[in-house]
Structure formats: structure tokens, C-alpha cells
Amino acid sequence: MRISLLQCQSSRDVSANLLFIESQLEELTRERLQWDKDAPHLVVLPECSLLFGGHESQQLAYAGDSHLSPLKSALSALAARYCVYMVAGTIPALAEDGRVYSRCYLFDDKGDTLGQYDKLHLFDVDVADGTKQYRESETFCPGNHISVIDTPFGKIGLTICYDLRFPDLFRALRLAGAEIITVPSAFTKVTGEAHWQVLLQARAIETQCFILAAAQWGAHNEGSRETWGQSMVIGPWGEVIAEQKTSTGWVHADIDVAEVHSIRSKMPVAQHNRFTAPNLKPSTDLDEIDSQRI
């Protein structure tokens, strides 16, 4: 089955970001005419695809609940209009404590919500770049569940960006049935250059899953932030299937989850692991596995 990752250079201008995504989906529609246009098609958008940066007030202004979010409505409408399944990057969603969740939705090709995931690990770190300090927890609230969703492409586990550094999350997704794991991201240029590819390949090898990592790239908001890019499709053996290192646009690949099961049967590392399965509850309130089915 064919999947497509969109590499973006998003900004604080929601309207401009939305227009860019729509223009890329129009281009994708023309390309699909050369493929099997009736086959299911999966699109993955990067983290913060509609709102990159922006102060807390702007995040709150666009945040909504699962029924009243204008950004969710815009992305689900695009999924329906262009008849694609969509892992819709991230958008802000209201949290109970006055902050927002960084939330990823998965829509089907009619725009209906198949599942959602709130970013578990928040990027509170110091980086040797122009921003210096990143403190996501000042605006964002961590999520409290993992999500594995049954789709025509296989069982998809959802993660977001900084989650990539936490192998226990990926192992939990594998144990919950994931065959494909998506990683919408906005890695900084400094950390991306150092760790992005090796972490993606490690998570693919460890879980024996396809890893679909759609990324932000370049300078954002008058150069106040710079992201690494290199959107990648990694196979369950750890091989790079497709990538786009720089610029914006699509990365396409054909995947077959039968390869996942073939590799797992030949090298059954999950059965050989002598350590007990990780507790699916982090130190704060991970109290459910959100396994959802069409």
C-alpha cells in the first residue's frame, strides 16, 4: 500500500499553512491518477503543521475540544475532500488544567476520526541553537494514554517527535499490536543532525515495525526556529526506504505489513526478551491503552 509523508515549513500563520497543505494534497491527487487511485492512501503530516510556534495565547485561541476544534475540522475536511487517510500532525486541544494537549488525530478517507493521541513526553531541554531553551510544559500538558488504531494499512501506533527518545513507549505500542508507528516531528536542526536518523532506525529495529516520520524543515517565523527535516520511511529491518532531507514536499513509499510478520517470525525478539513487559503506566497517570478499530 502506498503512503505519503509531507515535509512542511510551517509558521504561526494558520491560513498560510492550511493553504500549503491543501496545495500539496491537490498535487498528490494528480500523482495518484498514475497509481491505483481507488486504493486506500495514507498521508502523514508533521508536528505543528497548522500552527508552528506561537505564544500560549495563540495556542489557546485555536485550541478546542474534540468536537469544536477549528483546526481539527479543517484537517478532517481535507482528508474527506482528497479521499486520504490522514495522520494529521498535531494541533492544540484544550486540557483540564488550562494548558493544551499536543494532539494527533487519525482520520479516515471520509474525514471521520478513527483515534487520537496526546503527546506523552514534553520537550523541556536546553539546545545549543538560537532558541537555547525549550519548555513545552509551560504551554502543553502531557497525555495519559497510548493509541494503536486498526486501519486498512495495518495497526498504526501514534507517537509525536520527542517521544522518539523513549523506547519503552515504542515497545508498549508493539505489545499493543502496532505494525506501523508514525512520528510527526519538528526536531531542532541541532538534535536532528545528531540523533534523528539513528533513533528512527533503532526504533524500527527494536519494534520490527515500519516507522513513518514526517518532519518540519528549515527556518520558521523569521528565523526564530530552525528544524532538521529529513522525513523518512524506515522498514522493519531498519533500512531507509525513502527520505527527503531538505525542502518541502512529499515522500512516497509502498509498504506491506506482511514484511513485518515475516521478519518477526524469523527473528522473534519479542518472545526472546527476558525482561518483563514495560508497565504501560508512566510515572503520572497512563491508565489505558486506546486500541480503536474501524
Side-chain angles (χ1 to χ4, degrees):
M1 294 187 182
R2 181 149 292 192
I3 57 92
S4 299
L5 316 181
L6 182 59
Q7 187 154 287
C8 295
Q9 191 176 34
S10 302
S11 69
R12 289 186 291 264
D13 188 334
V14 171
S15 296
N17 297 333
L18 188 61
L19 285 172
F20 172 75
I21 293 170
E22 184 165 11
S23 71
Q24 294 299 301
L25 286 168
E26 289 177 354
E27 177 185 312
L28 180 64
T29 298
R30 291 190 291 271
E31 292 186 45
R32 288 177 69 191
L33 294 175
Q34 304 171 34
W35 310 332
D36 182 355
K37 62 182 177 61
D38 296 322
H41 196 98
L42 177 66
V43 165
V44 184
L45 304 181
E47 184 180 27
C48 306
S49 55
L50 287 186
L51 178 57
F52 188 97
H55 298 295
E56 182 178 8
S57 60
Q58 189 177 18
Q59 295 286 338
L60 288 169
Y62 280 101
D65 61 25
S66 59
H67 304 292
L68 300 174
S69 168
L71 301 188
K72 178 189 177 186
S73 297
L75 290 171
S76 67
L78 289 179
R81 186 178 310 154
Y82 294 98
C83 299
V84 293
Y85 286 74
M86 180 186 288
V87 177
T90 65
I91 60 173
L94 288 176
E96 297 77 10
D97 65 358
R99 292 179 292 174
V100 296
Y101 294 114
S102 181
R103 179 167 293 172
C104 179
Y105 287 101
L106 198 161
F107 302 117
D108 69 11
D109 54 1
K110 298 178 179 60
D112 295 328
T113 302
L114 300 182
Q116 66 185 53
Y117 166 73
D118 298 329
K119 188 175 183 178
L120 275 169
H121 300 100
L122 301 181
F123 193 57
D124 286 4
V125 304
D126 298 334
V127 178
D129 63 7
T131 301
K132 306 297 184 187
Q133 290 188 330
Y134 296 81
R135 297 292 183 266
E136 282 190 335
S137 64
E138 292 179 358
T139 301
F140 293 95
C141 180
N144 61 10
H145 70 279
I146 69 171
S147 186
V148 176
I149 303 163
D150 205 356
T151 77
F153 309 91
K155 294 178 181 177
I156 297 178
L158 302 180
T159 74
I160 299 167
C161 200
Y162 189 48
D163 285 334
L164 182 59
R165 294 184 180 273
F166 300 89
D168 282 347
L169 168 58
F170 283 73
R171 187 179 176 203
L173 292 170
R174 160 72 192 269
L175 292 172
E179 299 159 316
I180 300 165
I181 299 175
T182 58
V183 193
S185 297
F187 252 60
T188 71
K189 184 176 182 181
V190 170
T191 59
E193 184 175 16
H195 300 146
W196 172 248
Q197 181 169 336
V198 69
L199 285 171
L200 289 171
Q201 290 181 288
R203 297 296 88 85
I205 294 165
E206 291 162 355
T207 62
Q208 299 173 310
C209 287
F210 284 98
I211 303 291
L212 313 182
Q216 294 280 354
W217 166 82
H220 308 261
N221 301 322
E222 296 78 46
S224 63
R225 289 277 302 274
E226 193 168 6
T227 53
W228 175 243
Q230 199 180 7
S231 296
M232 306 185 81
V233 179
I234 309 291
W237 191 243
E239 76 280 17
V240 177
I241 296 172
E243 66 177 321
Q244 177 155 321
K245 292 186 176 180
T246 61
S247 73
T248 59
W250 291 108
V251 179
H252 306 299
D254 294 310
I255 65 172
D256 184 352
V257 295
E259 184 180 348
V260 169
H261 300 290
S262 174
I263 288 170
R264 291 178 181 180
S265 66
K266 294 173 183 176
M267 187 177 290
V269 293
Q271 297 174 34
H272 294 162
N273 193 334
R274 296 182 63 190
F275 287 85
T276 58
N279 186 344
L280 298 182
K281 297 182 181 179
S283 56
T284 55
D285 196 29
L286 179 56
D287 56 8
E288 62 177 305
I289 298 176
D290 184 12
S291 283
Q292 299 160 66
R293 301 185 180 276
I294 298 175

